[in-house]
Amino acid sequence: MIEIDRKVRKVFVMKEKELENVLKEHNQEHIFEAYKKLDEKGKEKLIAQIEKIDWSILAMAGHEELAQERGKLVPLSALEVPEIEKNRAKYEQVGLDAIKAGKVGAVLLAGGQGTRLGFDGPKGKYNIGITKEMYIFERLIRNLQDVTDKVGCFVPLYIMTSDKNHNETTAFFEEKDYFGYPKDFVKFFKQEMAPSVDFNGKLFMEAPDSLSLSPNGNGGWFYSMAVTGVLNDVKVRGVEWLNIFAVDNVLQRIADPVFVGATLDSGRVSGAKVVRKADPEEKIGVLCLEDGKPSIVEYYEMTEEIINSREANGELSYNFGVILNYLFRVDQLEEISSKKMPVHVVEKKIPYLDENGMLIKPESPNGYKFELLVLDMIHLFENCLSYEVVRDYEFAPIKNKTGVDSVESARALLQKNGVEL
Ligand code: UTP
């Protein structure tokens, strides 16, 4: 017994020396100071967090020049609404057959913190009802049930959460009996967490034994499905396509048979729902081609020339914005999973422990978080069907409490679409 204890202690001391060196090498001595004050359990927790840090990512903080240069951009034409309407029956049949054959699954990205909404809890728990309860999660399940009722079978639903909201999310689904959706068809998985730093690149701590960790963006979902083992379920069920969607668009169609059918019919390996831009300056990521591959360019990356460029028919050349509703072929996802995705360094308000051990919640951005974004995934695919949907029927995102993309605007759109609130 004593022998084992000694051995364990020795390994631990070695690790400690290694830790000191690593932290010193990356100018994070303050973390080692904090570590020394902890008991064994606290030390193990902090070491485990530090071991997972990708230091090359942290080095990007404050170095915009390290961001990847854009390649050559050209417009990508969309399958537009009139063409979709002409072929609706055909596409729908192809989609319904694929869903019936169990080839389509859905992935709800719900690991975000929804800071703009300012709601204390997972965004999906927000009640958007007026005369009755109608939670965002409930609304999304209802939207999915529109399809499953029509097909007569269920679509496997994978829900990504994070350490910050996992327990509350799963407890809520239990409490609400999965809003009538069969539990066997719902699987939760947690995304990875990433550290955050101040403007000088120093790691923040959020507790004496913990770095300040936050969800690593919505782009790591496939990796997280794989490492948590949930991908096995996709394989065992024979799911060939995954429909990825955000928690906040309460109007969206999930596993939409017409979208599925059109993508299959196109022979492409991915599809993206897009809306026509409201005006050239609209703050929306635009789907186009970059060096011959599909790519999404954010509004702030576009030059005036690109923003205002027009086709011969007078339409904007870069006219279609993405709404975070994608269809990806699973075998292709596996193929691209080893490719590196760009890391976005984002200025945020990050709660942290000050030198007196007090938790400070800053009023303005005080550091950087590191995020992977699902929109960068598109560029890893050979091709993508740009599929137009009508904004007023399918796009009601809830980002803020009031104003643009808010609870107010989403409620108005839901009512316009005949949803009783
Ligand atoms: P947003 O970009 O709106 O981020 O996420 P957010 O964290 O929810 O909200 P803000 O910016 O703090 O107000 C778009 C979608 O991606 C998911 C969100 O849950 C939402 O469905 N997401 C975002 C994740 O699943 N994980 C993340 O780390 C970030």
Side-chain angles (χ1 to χ4, degrees):
M1 197 62 187
I2 294 170
E3 198 46 42
I4 293 169
D5 265 349
R6 263 204 212 115
K7 264 193 204 154
V8 171
R9 185 161 291 277
K10 204 166 162 211
V11 172
F12 199 55
V13 171
M14 269 177 64
K15 267 195 169 175
E16 198 163 290
K17 191 69 206 151
E18 211 178 302
L19 178 79
E20 187 177 8
N21 290 340
V22 167
L23 291 172
K24 206 166 162 189
E25 187 189 333
H26 296 100
N27 299 320
Q28 308 290 347
E29 286 90 343
H30 64 294
I31 302 292
F32 194 66
E33 290 310 310
Y35 167 89
K36 285 195 291 193
K37 293 184 197 138
L38 299 173
D39 60 14
E40 301 283 294
K41 209 164 154 228
K43 284 182 173 177
E44 272 174 42
K45 180 175 169 187
L46 194 54
I47 280 203
Q49 292 180 348
I50 294 166
E51 273 174 348
K52 286 186 93 176
I53 293 179
D54 180 344
W55 296 100
S56 67
I57 289 176
L58 254 62
M60 291 166 70
H63 293 281
E64 287 81 9
E65 72 280 5
L66 294 180
Q68 277 180 344
E69 285 266 312
R70 280 283 175 192
K72 183 172 163 25
L73 303 180
V74 295
L76 171 65
S77 54
L79 183 64
E80 297 183 25
V81 169
E83 188 65 19
I84 295 171
E85 286 311 313
K86 219 164 67 193
N87 293 297
R88 171 172 283 277
K90 176 178 92 171
Y91 292 152
E92 186 168 33
Q93 197 51 54
V94 174
L96 290 172
D97 288 347
I99 296 167
K100 204 172 262 171
K103 292 184 180 165
V104 182
V107 181
L108 165 56
L109 303 179
Q113 291 181 285
T115 45
R116 284 171 284 175
L117 184 61
F119 172 63
D120 192 18
K123 199 186 255 189
K125 274 183 78 173
Y126 192 86
N127 179 10
I128 47 166
I130 298 170
T131 61
K132 57 178 183 182
E133 289 178 357
M134 174 61 74
Y135 301 95
I136 292 181
F137 280 139
E138 180 178 7
R139 188 66 245 148
L140 296 174
I141 295 287
R142 298 272 171 271
N143 292 350
L144 178 57
Q145 281 167 332
D146 286 348
V147 174
T148 56
D149 285 353
K150 194 163 189 177
V151 188
C153 70
F154 295 102
V155 168
L157 174 63
Y158 305 97
I159 303 179
M160 183 165 86
T161 60
S162 76
D163 273 346
K164 301 273 178 195
N165 65 16
H166 182 82
N167 293 346
E168 236 190 300
T169 302
T170 51
F172 190 60
F173 270 84
E174 285 291 333
E175 181 196 324
K176 300 293 178 190
D177 203 16
Y178 289 69
F179 305 102
Y181 207 71
K183 202 172 158 174
D184 285 355
F185 280 81
V186 182
K187 295 256 175 308
F188 296 91
F189 65 101
K190 278 201 232 174
Q191 68 175 99
E192 300 287 300
M193 302 294 278
S196 50
V197 296
D198 69 12
F199 288 134
N200 297 315
K202 300 276 185 208
L203 284 162
F204 277 130
M205 297 200 64
E206 64 184 3
D209 61 353
S210 179
L211 299 176
S212 169
L213 298 175
S214 51
N216 69 339
N218 58 24
W221 64 272
F222 191 68
Y223 173 84
S224 300
M225 273 186 114
V227 293
T228 54
V230 163
L231 189 57
N232 289 336
D233 189 78
V234 172
K235 299 231 176 109
V236 168
R237 289 182 191 268
V239 170
E240 293 177 10
W241 291 85
L242 288 173
N243 180 204
I244 317 308
F245 64 102
V247 74
D248 43 44
N249 178 7
V250 286
L251 256 192
Q252 71 194 310
R253 312 313 308 158
I254 302 156
D256 172 358
V258 189
F259 178 39
V260 172
T263 307
L264 261 65
D265 184 73
S266 74
R268 310 221 178 148
V269 293
S270 68
K273 284 198 168 183
V274 295
V275 290
R276 199 168 282 267
K277 276 173 88 170
D279 62 73
E281 307 289 336
E282 187 182 2
K283 293 184 170 155
I284 191 165
V286 163
L287 184 56
C288 58
L289 288 177
E290 177 181 355
D291 294 336
K293 294 267 211 79
S295 190
I296 293 161
V297 180
E298 281 290 10
Y299 63 92
Y300 51 80
E301 296 174 300
M302 292 170 76
T303 59
E304 279 302 310
E305 193 190 330
I306 287 189
I307 289 173
N308 296 308
S309 149
R310 290 191 185 264
E311 299 297 290
N313 63 4
E315 295 261 9
L316 290 174
S317 301
Y318 297 86
N319 205 11
F320 294 100
V322 286
I323 58 169
L324 216 173
N325 192 309
Y326 304 108
L327 202 56
F328 296 128
R329 220 170 77 186
V330 176
D331 62 341
Q332 297 293 302
L333 282 164
E334 292 191 282
E335 215 171 292
I336 64 166
S337 62
S338 57
K339 296 191 183 166
K340 248 190 151 34
M341 281 172 68
V343 176
H344 295 253
V345 183
V346 211
E347 285 189 19
K348 293 256 173 160
K349 291 184 240 175
I350 305 159
Y352 67 99
L353 285 192
D354 70 6
E355 53 279 14
N356 303 317
M358 295 283 291
L359 185 68
I360 310 290
K361 291 190 175 169
E363 298 281 315
S364 52
N366 60 327
Y368 302 110
K369 284 188 179 179
F370 303 87
E371 295 183 344
L372 300 172
L373 300 181
V374 64
L375 55 83
D376 290 317
M377 232 176 195
I378 290 287
H379 193 47
L380 304 177
F381 288 91
E382 264 322 300
N383 50 46
C384 177
L385 177 72
S386 179
Y387 177 96
E388 187 192 4
V389 297
V390 179
R391 186 184 285 257
D392 274 9
Y393 301 156
E394 294 206 29
F395 192 40
I398 296 179
K399 300 286 185 193
N400 309 298
K401 269 220 166 87
T402 55
V404 179
D405 295 344
S406 66
V407 178
E408 282 173 351
S409 60
R411 276 184 180 146
L413 280 169
L414 281 169
Q415 285 169 328
K416 194 173 165 185
N417 281 277
V419 178
E420 269 180 49
L421 289 173

